[in-house]
């Protein structure tokens, strides 16, 4: 499967940082890669970034509302993100689940909204440290997948992002065996739910991915890419992670 290297800028980025997007796009132009490259930005930067990216890298968003439009002050619909130049949206990130009370059911509605608008969705799941200690990690993530995928088969899920909460921004990461065990479990869940289509959905690992550990993580079975937070903010770091994937011949 063609890997996906996705950056998530979270709530970082002013106009001045658009130079990083230009630099990432330039690095992909210089060394065409056998990966899809995506950066999910704050909504305020999407339109300008997508014209700077000039199709060399994809630009995405980090959340959307489930409705097309309406009296939802401060919210942004999937259609608006698409209109601004996004082609993908991250949904159900643990920070949205934690700080905005997003449940699996809310995430499923947003996935439907993304499909409706023609956006690809990256659905995020992950367990807490306590859940892992209690031996519940596989069950927690399996349940999140089951409930966060909408029933409609037309949904455009591009990827599932496995991001253990305790690995995000902490410099900690699961062992290679733990990553493989979880990614294989996610694959089984996707195939039992979606049949052969479940094999076409990329499973990304996220949580403290950086230029030093990316090669080892991306080489693991069932790891189809990375979801990168902090290390996606600097073009040099993000380009180094992209550089782990072989160049296009
Ligand atoms: P870090 O790479 O900063 O740990 O963030 C991971 C993440 O949450 C990406 O969505």
């Amino acid at each position: 499967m063609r890997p996906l290297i996705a950056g998530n800028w979270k709530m970082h980025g002013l106009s001045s940082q658009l130079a990083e997007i230009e630099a990432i796009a330039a690095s992909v132009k210089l060394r065409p890669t056998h990966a899809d490259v995506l950066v999910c930005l704050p909504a305020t930067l999407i339109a300008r970034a997508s014209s700077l990216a000039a199709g060399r890298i994809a630009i995405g968003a980090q959340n959307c509302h489930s409705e097309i439009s309406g009296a939802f002050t401060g919210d942004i619909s999937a259609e608006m993100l698409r209109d601004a130049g996004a082609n993908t949206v991250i949904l159900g990130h643990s920070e949205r689940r934690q700080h905005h009370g997003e449940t699996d059911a809310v995430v499923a509605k947003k996935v439907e909204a993304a499909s409706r608008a023609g956006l690809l969705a990256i659905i995020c799941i992950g367990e807490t440290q306590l859940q892992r200690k209690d031996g519940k990690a596989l069950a927690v993530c399996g349940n999140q997948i089951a409930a966060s995928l909408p029933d409609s088969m037309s949904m455009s899920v591009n990827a599932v992002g496995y991001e253990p909460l305790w690995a995000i921004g902490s410099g900690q990461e699961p062992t290679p065996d733990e990553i493989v065990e979880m990614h294989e479990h996610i694959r089984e869940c996707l195939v039992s739910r979606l049949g052969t289509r479940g094999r076409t959905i990329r499973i990304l690992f996220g949580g403290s991915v950086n230029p030093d550990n990316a090669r080892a993580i991306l080489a693991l079975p069932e790891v189809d890419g990375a979801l990168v937070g902090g290390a996606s903010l600097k073009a040099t770091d993000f380009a180094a992670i992209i550089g782990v994937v072989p160049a296009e011949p």
Side-chain angles (χ1 to χ4, degrees):
M1 202 170 332
R2 190 177 165 88
L4 172 64
I5 307 297
N8 173 11
W9 276 23
K10 309 191 179 187
M11 197 172 76
H12 298 285
L14 299 173
S15 315
S16 54
Q17 275 148 285
L18 286 168
E20 301 296 325
I21 296 295
E22 274 187 292
I24 294 166
S27 80
V28 171
K29 183 183 176 194
L30 203 65
R31 180 189 175 278
T33 168
H34 178 66
D36 289 337
V37 178
L38 164 75
V39 187
C40 296
L41 295 172
T44 47
L45 295 181
I46 289 172
R48 279 174 291 168
S50 62
S51 62
L52 288 174
R56 289 193 218 294
I57 61 170
I59 300 297
Q62 303 167 13
N63 175 43
C64 70
H65 195 277
S66 57
E67 298 292 325
I68 296 179
S69 60
F72 302 104
T73 301
D75 279 313
I76 301 180
S77 71
E79 281 76 4
M80 292 168 176
L81 297 171
R82 177 88 197 265
D83 183 50
N87 84 335
T88 301
V89 60
I90 295 174
L91 295 172
H93 191 281
S94 62
E95 286 151 17
R96 303 257 358 138
R97 294 177 186 262
Q98 264 180 298
H99 305 309
H100 298 271
E102 282 191 15
T103 60
D104 292 328
V106 168
V107 175
K109 287 198 109 175
K110 293 184 175 193
V111 175
E112 281 179 343
S115 292
R116 184 190 65 214
L119 289 179
L120 298 168
I122 298 175
I123 301 181
C124 294
I125 58 166
E127 83 285 355
T128 64
Q129 190 137 45
L130 189 64
Q131 288 164 333
R132 176 157 287 275
K133 236 181 73 211
D134 288 350
K136 295 183 184 147
L138 296 180
V140 165
C141 292
N143 290 340
Q144 282 179 331
I145 290 185
S148 301
L149 291 183
D151 287 324
S152 97
M153 286 305 202
S154 61
M155 64 187 173
S156 49
V157 174
N158 182 30
V160 168
Y162 167 55
E163 302 200 304
L165 272 61
W166 49 275
I168 295 176
S170 65
Q172 283 181 280
E173 50 181 293
T175 65
D177 285 352
E178 286 170 336
I179 295 177
V180 172
E181 180 188 42
M182 180 62 81
H183 280 233
E184 284 175 346
H185 177 63
I186 293 169
R187 179 65 68 207
E188 278 166 27
C189 294
L190 290 172
V191 170
S192 76
R193 174 74 179 272
L194 303 168
T196 49
R197 175 154 148 53
R199 299 206 181 280
T200 66
I201 294 176
R202 291 186 268 208
I203 306 173
L204 313 180
F205 177 78
S208 300
V209 176
N210 60 53
D212 296 328
N213 63 15
R215 185 173 298 279
I217 291 172
L218 288 167
L220 295 172
E222 294 290 8
V223 174
D224 308 308
L227 190 47
V228 184
S232 70
L233 291 167
K234 281 183 64 191
T236 43
D237 286 347
F238 196 53
I241 294 171
I242 297 166
V244 166
V245 179
E248 201 101 88

